[in-house]
């Protein structure tokens, strides 16, 4: 087995569902090549075409792994509304420069590691955090879920919970 994917240190052990893309650039190349082989219309630079539509113009690490993570809802305090704690998905985006990646989102100063952002071309706000190593931007539309995620990943990342044979299996696959 090769080195453990660094994204695994950013996924909490209590994640309910994870889609891990081991290398955005490698997956993009495979999809583009397959589209050419099948004579399907697809841009050669899928990420470069798609990312600006959601407000990302720079800062993505194409050599890095991305992940979509579903976490369990946070337990509301007694008497607290459960709606803000509903189960949700987080997007982990590998970055070479978190500040550049987030510039179009106009992030607020972080409070407890979480910044409020404006989603380009949308009226609703979102929430982001930057991993402690600065290599990932974590996006979520629910602040309570993002706070729960940060606490869970700090308590026990999935990397610490996976058996070595599972890590070996991940090393052999792109997705």
């Amino acid at each position: 087995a090769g080195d453990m994917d660094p994204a695994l240190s950013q996924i909490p052990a209590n994640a309910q569902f994870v889609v891990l893309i081991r290398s955005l650039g490698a997956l993009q190349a495979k999809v583009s090549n397959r589209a050419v082989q099948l004579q399907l219309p697809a841009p050669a630079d899928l990420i470069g075409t798609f990312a600006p539509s959601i407000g990302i113009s720079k800062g993505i690490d194409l050599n890095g792994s991305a992940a979509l993570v579903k976490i369990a809802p946070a337990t509301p305090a007694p008497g607290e509304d459960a709606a803000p704690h509903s189960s949700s998905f987080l997007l982990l985006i590998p970055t070479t420069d978190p500040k550049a990646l987030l510039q179009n989102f106009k992030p607020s100063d972080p409070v407890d590691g979480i910044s409020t952002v404006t989603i380009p071309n949308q009226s609703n706000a979102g929430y982001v955090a930057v991993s402690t190593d600065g290599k990932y931007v974590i996006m979520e539309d629910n602040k309570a879920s993002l706070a729960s995620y940060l606490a869970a990943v700090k308590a026990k990342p999935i990397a610490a919970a996976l058996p070595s044979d599972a890590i070996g299996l991940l090393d052999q696959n792109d997705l």
Side-chain angles (χ1 to χ4, degrees), residues 58-121:
K58 51 188 160 184
I60 292 180
D61 180 1
L62 291 178
N63 295 315
S65 297
L68 180 67
V69 179
K70 183 178 188 299
I71 60 168
T75 305
E80 187 179 17
D81 182 13
H85 299 277
S86 62
S87 181
S88 58
F89 286 90
L90 298 102
L91 181 61
L92 277 70
I93 303 170
T95 182
T96 55
D97 183 348
K99 188 174 181 179
L101 189 142
L102 292 170
Q103 77 180 15
N104 290 336
F105 294 89
K106 302 177 182 132
S108 66
D109 290 333
V111 175
D112 296 327
I114 298 174
S115 297
T116 302
V117 293
T118 302
I119 310 297
N121 305 317

Side-chain angles (χ1 to χ4, degrees), residues 20-92:
L20 178 68
I21 300 170
R22 292 193 35 96
S23 167
L24 288 177
L27 181 65
Q28 173 176 266
K30 287 179 182 182
V31 170
S32 181
N33 290 339
R34 189 68 62 202
V36 169
Q37 290 172 346
L38 297 173
Q39 299 179 351
L40 298 173
D45 182 5
L46 293 170
I47 295 168
T49 301
F50 171 71
S53 71
I54 61 168
I56 298 173
S57 58
K58 51 188 160 184
I60 292 180
D61 180 1
L62 291 178
N63 295 315
S65 297
L68 180 67
V69 179
K70 183 178 188 299
I71 60 168
T75 305
E80 187 179 17
D81 182 13
H85 299 277
S86 62
S87 181
S88 58
F89 286 90
L90 298 102
L91 181 61
L92 277 70

Side-chain angles (χ1 to χ4, degrees), residues 102 105 107 110 113-117 126-130 137-140 146:
L102 292 170
F105 294 89
I114 298 174
S115 297
T116 302
V117 293
Y127 302 94
V128 299
V130 176
V137 168
I138 303 98
M139 301 185 111
E140 167 55 275
L146 184 54

